[in-house]
Amino acid sequence: MISVDGLVRTYGDFTAIDNVSFSIGQGEIVGLLGHNGAGKTTIMKMLTGFLEPTDGSITIDGLDISEQREAIQRKIGYLPENCPVYPEMTVIDYLNYAAALHGVPETDRLTRVREAIARTELTEKATQLINTLSRGYRQRVGVAQSLLHRPDILILDEPTNGLDPSQVQHMRNLIREAAQHATVILSTHILQEVQAVCDRVIIIRAGKKVLDSRMEELRSAHRLLVTVQAEPGKVDAALMGVTAIQSVEQLSADRNYLSYALEFRDQTEPQQCAPAVASALLEQGCALYAMQPEQRTLESIFLETAAR
Ligand code: ATP
Protein backbone atom coordinates (compact mmCIF):
# COMPACT_ATOMS: atom_id res chain seq x y z
CA MET A 1 0.00 0.00 0.00
CA ILE A 2 2.75 2.46 1.01
CA SER A 3 6.08 1.91 -0.66
CA VAL A 4 9.14 4.03 0.06
CA ASP A 5 12.24 3.32 -1.95
CA GLY A 6 15.72 4.82 -1.57
CA LEU A 7 14.41 8.00 0.07
CA VAL A 8 16.98 10.78 0.46
CA ARG A 9 16.52 14.34 1.73
CA THR A 10 19.27 16.86 2.07
CA TYR A 11 19.18 20.35 3.56
CA GLY A 12 22.12 22.09 1.89
CA ASP A 13 25.15 19.89 2.53
CA PHE A 14 23.42 18.03 5.35
CA THR A 15 21.83 14.66 4.60
CA ALA A 16 18.82 14.39 6.93
CA ILE A 17 17.43 11.19 5.34
CA ASP A 18 19.84 8.73 3.84
CA ASN A 19 18.54 6.01 1.52
CA VAL A 20 15.54 4.85 3.56
CA SER A 21 13.24 2.16 2.13
CA PHE A 22 10.22 0.37 3.62
CA SER A 23 6.76 -0.72 2.69
CA ILE A 24 3.67 -0.68 4.87
CA GLY A 25 0.59 -2.83 4.37
CA GLN A 26 -3.03 -1.89 4.88
CA GLY A 27 -4.18 -1.77 8.51
CA GLU A 28 -0.73 -1.79 10.09
CA ILE A 29 0.16 0.48 13.03
CA VAL A 30 3.78 1.41 12.47
CA GLY A 31 5.94 3.41 14.86
CA LEU A 32 8.78 5.52 13.50
CA LEU A 33 11.08 5.59 16.49
CA GLY A 34 14.18 7.76 16.85
CA HIS A 35 15.92 10.33 18.97
CA ASN A 36 15.28 14.05 18.46
CA GLY A 37 16.72 15.04 15.11
CA ALA A 38 16.80 11.46 13.76
CA GLY A 39 14.70 12.42 10.75
CA LYS A 40 11.17 11.28 11.65
CA THR A 41 9.44 14.57 10.85
CA THR A 42 11.34 14.87 7.57
CA ILE A 43 10.10 11.40 6.52
CA MET A 44 6.52 12.27 7.52
CA LYS A 45 6.58 15.54 5.61
CA MET A 46 7.72 13.67 2.50
CA LEU A 47 5.08 10.96 2.96
CA THR A 48 2.38 13.61 3.16
CA GLY A 49 3.66 15.53 0.16
CA PHE A 50 4.68 18.64 2.10
CA LEU A 51 8.37 18.20 1.35
CA GLU A 52 9.97 16.95 -1.82
CA PRO A 53 12.47 14.11 -1.61
CA THR A 54 15.94 14.88 -2.94
CA ASP A 55 16.02 11.34 -4.31
CA GLY A 56 14.00 8.12 -4.13
CA SER A 57 10.32 7.42 -4.59
CA ILE A 58 7.11 7.24 -2.56
CA THR A 59 4.17 5.28 -3.94
CA ILE A 60 0.81 5.03 -2.21
CA ASP A 61 -1.84 2.69 -3.62
CA GLY A 62 0.09 2.65 -6.87
CA LEU A 63 0.15 6.47 -7.11
CA ASP A 64 3.53 8.18 -7.33
CA ILE A 65 3.70 11.18 -5.00
CA SER A 66 5.82 13.17 -7.44
CA GLU A 67 3.01 12.94 -10.02
CA GLN A 68 -0.22 12.66 -8.02
CA ARG A 69 0.42 14.53 -4.81
CA GLU A 70 -3.12 15.88 -4.34
CA ALA A 71 -4.78 12.51 -4.97
CA ILE A 72 -2.46 11.01 -2.33
CA GLN A 73 -3.13 13.83 0.12
CA ARG A 74 -6.85 13.08 -0.08
CA LYS A 75 -6.11 9.59 1.26
CA ILE A 76 -4.06 10.87 4.17
CA GLY A 77 -4.99 12.39 7.52
CA TYR A 78 -2.01 14.25 9.01
CA LEU A 79 -1.35 15.50 12.49
CA PRO A 80 1.79 17.61 12.16
CA GLU A 81 4.23 18.10 15.03
CA ASN A 82 3.06 20.70 17.59
CA CYS A 83 -0.51 20.47 16.27
CA PRO A 84 -1.08 23.76 14.44
CA VAL A 85 -4.70 24.82 15.08
CA TYR A 86 -6.32 28.26 15.06
CA PRO A 87 -6.52 29.25 18.75
CA GLU A 88 -9.08 32.02 18.28
CA MET A 89 -11.70 29.72 16.75
CA THR A 90 -14.12 27.43 18.59
CA VAL A 91 -13.57 23.69 18.15
CA ILE A 92 -16.66 23.27 15.99
CA ASP A 93 -15.90 26.31 13.78
CA TYR A 94 -12.30 25.19 13.29
CA LEU A 95 -13.33 21.65 12.36
CA ASN A 96 -15.96 22.97 9.97
CA TYR A 97 -13.29 25.13 8.33
CA ALA A 98 -10.81 22.22 8.24
CA ALA A 99 -13.48 20.01 6.62
CA ALA A 100 -13.85 22.61 3.86
CA LEU A 101 -10.06 22.64 3.38
CA HIS A 102 -10.11 18.83 3.16
CA GLY A 103 -12.66 19.14 0.34
CA VAL A 104 -15.57 17.60 2.27
CA PRO A 105 -18.76 18.65 0.41
CA GLU A 106 -20.81 21.26 2.31
CA THR A 107 -23.78 18.90 2.65
CA ASP A 108 -21.59 16.31 4.48
CA ARG A 109 -19.62 18.70 6.67
CA LEU A 110 -21.89 18.73 9.71
CA THR A 111 -22.06 14.92 9.79
CA ARG A 112 -18.28 14.59 9.42
CA VAL A 113 -17.57 17.22 12.09
CA ARG A 114 -20.00 15.49 14.49
CA GLU A 115 -18.39 12.13 13.72
CA ALA A 116 -14.86 13.46 14.35
CA ILE A 117 -15.95 15.20 17.58
CA ALA A 118 -17.57 12.00 18.84
CA ARG A 119 -14.57 9.83 17.96
CA THR A 120 -12.15 12.14 19.77
CA GLU A 121 -14.57 12.68 22.71
CA LEU A 122 -14.66 16.44 22.27
CA THR A 123 -18.43 16.86 22.60
CA GLU A 124 -18.19 18.79 25.90
CA LYS A 125 -15.64 21.20 24.41
CA ALA A 126 -17.22 21.66 20.98
CA THR A 127 -18.26 25.30 21.51
CA GLN A 128 -15.18 26.33 23.47
CA LEU A 129 -12.41 28.53 22.04
CA ILE A 130 -9.35 26.42 21.17
CA ASN A 131 -7.04 28.75 23.15
CA THR A 132 -8.95 27.87 26.33
CA LEU A 133 -8.32 24.13 25.93
CA SER A 134 -5.60 22.14 27.68
CA ARG A 135 -2.78 20.74 25.54
CA GLY A 136 -4.37 17.28 25.57
CA TYR A 137 -7.70 18.58 24.25
CA ARG A 138 -5.93 20.73 21.63
CA GLN A 139 -4.14 17.61 20.50
CA ARG A 140 -7.52 15.87 20.20
CA VAL A 141 -8.71 18.72 17.98
CA GLY A 142 -5.67 18.05 15.80
CA VAL A 143 -6.57 14.39 15.54
CA ALA A 144 -10.24 15.22 14.88
CA GLN A 145 -9.07 17.47 12.03
CA SER A 146 -7.07 14.59 10.56
CA LEU A 147 -10.11 12.26 10.55
CA LEU A 148 -12.62 14.58 8.85
CA HIS A 149 -12.21 13.25 5.33
CA ARG A 150 -12.21 9.60 6.49
CA PRO A 151 -8.64 8.95 5.36
CA ASP A 152 -7.25 5.48 4.63
CA ILE A 153 -3.92 6.48 6.13
CA LEU A 154 -3.26 8.44 9.33
CA ILE A 155 0.14 10.04 9.86
CA LEU A 156 0.66 11.34 13.39
CA ASP A 157 3.84 13.21 14.26
CA GLU A 158 4.61 12.85 17.98
CA PRO A 159 0.91 12.55 18.93
CA THR A 160 1.53 12.27 22.69
CA ASN A 161 4.27 14.87 22.97
CA GLY A 162 3.76 17.00 26.10
CA LEU A 163 0.65 15.19 27.32
CA ASP A 164 0.10 14.10 30.91
CA PRO A 165 -0.28 10.37 31.66
CA SER A 166 -4.10 10.31 31.50
CA GLN A 167 -4.12 12.29 28.24
CA VAL A 168 -1.46 9.91 26.88
CA GLN A 169 -3.75 7.00 27.73
CA HIS A 170 -6.65 8.67 25.97
CA MET A 171 -4.52 9.38 22.89
CA ARG A 172 -3.36 5.75 22.75
CA ASN A 173 -6.96 4.54 22.86
CA LEU A 174 -7.80 7.02 20.15
CA ILE A 175 -4.96 5.74 17.96
CA ARG A 176 -6.05 2.12 18.48
CA GLU A 177 -9.62 3.04 17.58
CA ALA A 178 -8.48 4.99 14.50
CA ALA A 179 -6.39 2.00 13.40
CA GLN A 180 -9.59 -0.03 12.97
CA HIS A 181 -10.43 2.17 10.00
CA ALA A 182 -7.01 3.22 8.70
CA THR A 183 -3.32 2.40 8.36
CA VAL A 184 -1.48 4.39 11.05
CA ILE A 185 2.09 5.69 11.01
CA LEU A 186 3.14 7.55 14.12
CA SER A 187 6.46 9.03 15.11
CA THR A 188 7.82 9.14 18.60
CA HIS A 189 11.02 9.16 20.60
CA ILE A 190 9.28 7.30 23.44
CA LEU A 191 9.84 3.54 23.49
CA GLN A 192 6.76 2.84 25.59
CA GLU A 193 4.62 4.56 22.98
CA VAL A 194 5.63 2.07 20.35
CA GLN A 195 5.28 -0.82 22.77
CA ALA A 196 1.78 0.30 23.75
CA VAL A 197 0.18 0.82 20.36
CA CYS A 198 2.30 -0.34 17.41
CA ASP A 199 2.49 -3.73 15.76
CA ARG A 200 5.66 -2.81 13.92
CA VAL A 201 8.61 -0.51 14.58
CA ILE A 202 11.01 1.23 12.23
CA ILE A 203 13.99 2.72 14.06
CA ILE A 204 15.62 5.75 12.45
CA ARG A 205 19.04 6.86 13.57
CA ALA A 206 20.84 9.87 12.05
CA GLY A 207 18.67 9.65 8.94
CA LYS A 208 19.20 5.93 8.34
CA LYS A 209 16.86 3.03 8.93
CA VAL A 210 18.57 0.76 11.44
CA LEU A 211 15.75 -1.64 12.28
CA ASP A 212 12.42 -2.67 10.80
CA SER A 213 10.62 -5.40 12.65
CA ARG A 214 7.24 -6.61 13.81
CA MET A 215 6.86 -6.27 17.58
CA GLU A 216 6.20 -9.98 18.15
CA GLU A 217 9.44 -10.86 16.31
CA LEU A 218 11.35 -8.46 18.53
CA ARG A 219 9.96 -9.95 21.67
CA SER A 220 10.64 -13.54 20.64
CA ALA A 221 13.70 -14.92 22.34
CA HIS A 222 16.60 -16.43 20.43
CA ARG A 223 18.94 -17.21 23.30
CA LEU A 224 18.76 -19.46 26.33
CA LEU A 225 20.13 -18.06 29.58
CA VAL A 226 21.70 -20.65 31.84
CA THR A 227 23.13 -20.26 35.35
CA VAL A 228 25.11 -23.10 36.88
CA GLN A 229 27.29 -23.83 39.88
CA ALA A 230 30.26 -25.76 38.53
CA GLU A 231 33.87 -25.80 37.38
CA PRO A 232 34.12 -23.78 34.15
CA GLY A 233 35.87 -26.73 32.45
CA LYS A 234 32.92 -29.01 33.19
CA VAL A 235 30.48 -26.47 31.78
CA ASP A 236 32.58 -26.18 28.60
CA ALA A 237 32.66 -29.95 28.23
CA ALA A 238 28.90 -30.21 28.70
CA LEU A 239 28.05 -27.45 26.24
CA MET A 240 30.48 -28.74 23.61
CA GLY A 241 28.53 -31.99 23.61
CA VAL A 242 25.27 -30.29 22.55
CA THR A 243 25.50 -30.08 18.75
CA ALA A 244 22.55 -27.68 18.42
CA ILE A 245 24.52 -24.92 20.19
CA GLN A 246 26.02 -22.39 17.79
CA SER A 247 27.62 -19.96 20.21
CA VAL A 248 28.17 -19.50 23.92
CA GLU A 249 28.61 -16.14 25.59
CA GLN A 250 29.67 -16.05 29.22
CA LEU A 251 27.66 -13.32 30.91
CA SER A 252 28.94 -13.37 34.46
CA ALA A 253 30.91 -15.32 37.02
CA ASP A 254 29.40 -14.37 40.36
CA ARG A 255 31.26 -16.29 43.09
CA ASN A 256 30.36 -19.89 42.34
CA TYR A 257 27.64 -19.09 39.82
CA LEU A 258 28.40 -18.93 36.12
CA SER A 259 25.91 -17.47 33.65
CA TYR A 260 25.85 -18.09 29.91
CA ALA A 261 23.75 -17.07 26.93
CA LEU A 262 23.45 -19.86 24.38
CA GLU A 263 22.47 -19.37 20.77
CA PHE A 264 21.32 -22.28 18.64
CA ARG A 265 21.82 -23.25 15.01
CA ASP A 266 19.17 -22.50 12.38
CA GLN A 267 17.32 -20.10 14.71
CA THR A 268 16.06 -23.08 16.74
CA GLU A 269 13.82 -22.00 19.60
CA PRO A 270 15.66 -22.06 22.95
CA GLN A 271 12.78 -23.99 24.52
CA GLN A 272 13.36 -26.88 22.08
CA CYS A 273 17.01 -27.26 23.05
CA ALA A 274 16.64 -26.66 26.79
CA PRO A 275 16.18 -30.36 27.80
CA ALA A 276 19.36 -31.42 25.91
CA VAL A 277 21.35 -28.60 27.55
CA ALA A 278 20.02 -29.53 31.01
CA SER A 279 20.89 -33.23 30.53
CA ALA A 280 24.41 -32.45 29.29
CA LEU A 281 25.09 -30.17 32.28
CA LEU A 282 23.76 -32.70 34.77
CA GLU A 283 25.81 -35.51 33.19
CA GLN A 284 28.95 -33.43 33.78
CA GLY A 285 27.92 -32.96 37.41
CA CYS A 286 27.07 -29.25 37.04
CA ALA A 287 24.41 -27.95 39.43
CA LEU A 288 21.81 -26.24 37.28
CA TYR A 289 20.60 -23.14 39.07
CA ALA A 290 18.43 -21.36 36.47
CA MET A 291 17.44 -21.66 32.82
CA GLN A 292 15.14 -19.37 30.86
CA PRO A 293 14.71 -17.89 27.35
CA GLU A 294 16.19 -14.41 27.11
CA GLN A 295 13.54 -11.68 27.28
CA ARG A 296 14.30 -8.85 24.88
CA THR A 297 12.69 -5.48 25.38
CA LEU A 298 12.40 -2.68 22.87
CA GLU A 299 14.70 -0.72 25.14
CA SER A 300 17.49 -3.31 24.89
CA ILE A 301 17.01 -3.49 21.11
CA PHE A 302 17.14 0.31 20.83
CA LEU A 303 20.44 0.29 22.76
CA GLU A 304 21.77 -2.55 20.55
CA THR A 305 21.06 -0.51 17.42
CA ALA A 306 22.88 2.46 19.00
CA ALA A 307 25.97 0.34 19.55
CA ARG A 308 26.16 -0.77 15.88
P1 ATP B 1 12.30 15.63 16.57
O1 ATP B 1 11.94 14.38 17.33
O2 ATP B 1 13.18 16.54 17.38
O3 ATP B 1 11.14 16.31 15.95
P2 ATP B 1 13.00 14.37 14.06
O4 ATP B 1 13.45 12.95 14.21
O5 ATP B 1 11.60 14.59 13.65
O6 ATP B 1 13.31 15.16 15.39
P3 ATP B 1 13.71 16.07 11.85
O7 ATP B 1 12.90 17.23 12.32
O8 ATP B 1 13.22 15.30 10.70
O9 ATP B 1 14.01 15.06 13.04
O10 ATP B 1 15.17 16.60 11.54
C1 ATP B 1 16.19 15.75 11.03
C2 ATP B 1 17.46 16.56 10.89
O11 ATP B 1 17.29 17.52 9.84
C3 ATP B 1 17.82 17.37 12.14
O12 ATP B 1 19.23 17.38 12.27
C4 ATP B 1 17.31 18.77 11.82
O13 ATP B 1 18.07 19.76 12.48
C5 ATP B 1 17.51 18.84 10.31
N1 ATP B 1 16.52 19.72 9.65
C6 ATP B 1 15.18 19.58 9.68
N2 ATP B 1 14.59 20.55 8.95
C7 ATP B 1 15.58 21.32 8.46
C8 ATP B 1 15.64 22.49 7.63
N3 ATP B 1 14.53 23.04 7.14
N4 ATP B 1 16.85 23.00 7.33
C9 ATP B 1 17.99 22.44 7.79
N5 ATP B 1 18.01 21.34 8.59
C10 ATP B 1 16.85 20.79 8.92
Side-chain angles (χ1 to χ4, degrees), residues 37-284:
K40 305 174 299 290
T41 298
T42 303
I43 292 177
M44 294 195 142
K45 282 184 182 166
M46 289 191 277
L47 282 176
T48 49
F50 288 100
L51 191 68
E52 276 195 32
T54 307
D55 203 354
S57 65
I58 298 172
T59 318
I60 295 180
D61 285 346
L63 305 175
D64 188 324
I65 206 158
S66 64
E67 291 160 8
Q68 281 153 303
R69 186 168 54 88
E70 283 183 16
I72 286 181
Q73 284 177 334
R74 280 195 288 275
K75 294 172 181 287
I76 295 177
Y78 180 33
L79 174 70
E81 203 176 15
N82 300 322
C83 184
V85 285
Y86 290 109
E88 69 284 0
M89 292 176 96
T90 64
V91 172
I92 200 157
D93 285 346
Y94 168 69
L95 291 177
N96 207 26
Y97 173 63
L101 292 182
H102 278 302
V104 175
E106 206 172 344
T107 46
D108 293 344
R109 271 181 218 154
L110 193 58
T111 316
R112 299 293 185 86
V113 169
R114 275 206 190 120
E115 185 182 282
I117 284 178
R119 282 178 69 186
T120 50
E121 294 177 33
L122 274 168
T123 311
E124 275 175 34
K125 311 283 179 184
T127 55
Q128 212 165 308
L129 288 176
I130 292 176
N131 64 12
T132 65
L133 298 179
S134 69
R135 188 178 169 91
Y137 276 101
R138 246 180 293 152
Q139 198 78 337
R140 290 190 207 186
V141 175
V143 176
Q145 160 281 128
S146 73
L147 298 172
L148 286 165
H149 55 304
R150 295 180 181 159
D152 297 333
I153 301 164
L154 261 185
I155 296 187
L156 310 172
D157 199 350
E158 306 258 3
T160 58
N161 204 9
L163 304 190
D164 71 31
S166 73
Q167 291 168 339
V168 166
Q169 203 49 49
H170 182 273
M171 184 59 73
R172 286 180 184 168
N173 292 339
L174 188 51
I175 293 167
R176 284 192 205 101
E177 194 274 333
Q180 292 174 12
H181 312 270
T183 302
V184 177
I185 306 173
L186 64 91
S187 81
T188 181
H189 56 270
I190 305 163
L191 297 165
Q192 291 83 349
E193 202 59 46
V194 174
Q195 244 148 357
V197 292
C198 298
D199 38 44
R200 181 174 153 200
V201 61
I202 295 177
I203 299 182
I204 304 291
R205 187 175 296 277
K208 290 190 166 67
K209 184 179 89 170
V210 290
L211 187 112
D212 181 350
S213 177
R214 297 192 63 74
M215 297 303 288
E216 72 253 20
E217 282 165 19
L218 284 184
R219 288 190 200 108
S220 73
H222 296 296
R223 302 204 298 178
L224 185 69
L225 304 181
V226 177
T227 304
V228 291
Q229 211 177 13
E231 292 287 317
K234 288 193 171 183
V235 181
D236 291 346
L239 298 180
M240 271 163 63
V242 182
T243 52
I245 295 176
Q246 180 169 298
S247 68
V248 177
E249 183 188 348
Q250 183 165 353
L251 300 176
S252 68
D254 174 18
R255 290 197 203 160
N256 302 325
Y257 294 109
L258 305 172
S259 294
Y260 300 86
L262 313 180
E263 204 164 346
F264 300 96
R265 294 182 203 287
D266 308 321
Q267 298 275 305
T268 313
E269 295 277 312
Q271 289 90 330
Q272 257 176 280
C273 303
V277 173
S279 303
L281 288 167
L282 295 177
E283 272 167 30
Q284 286 289 335

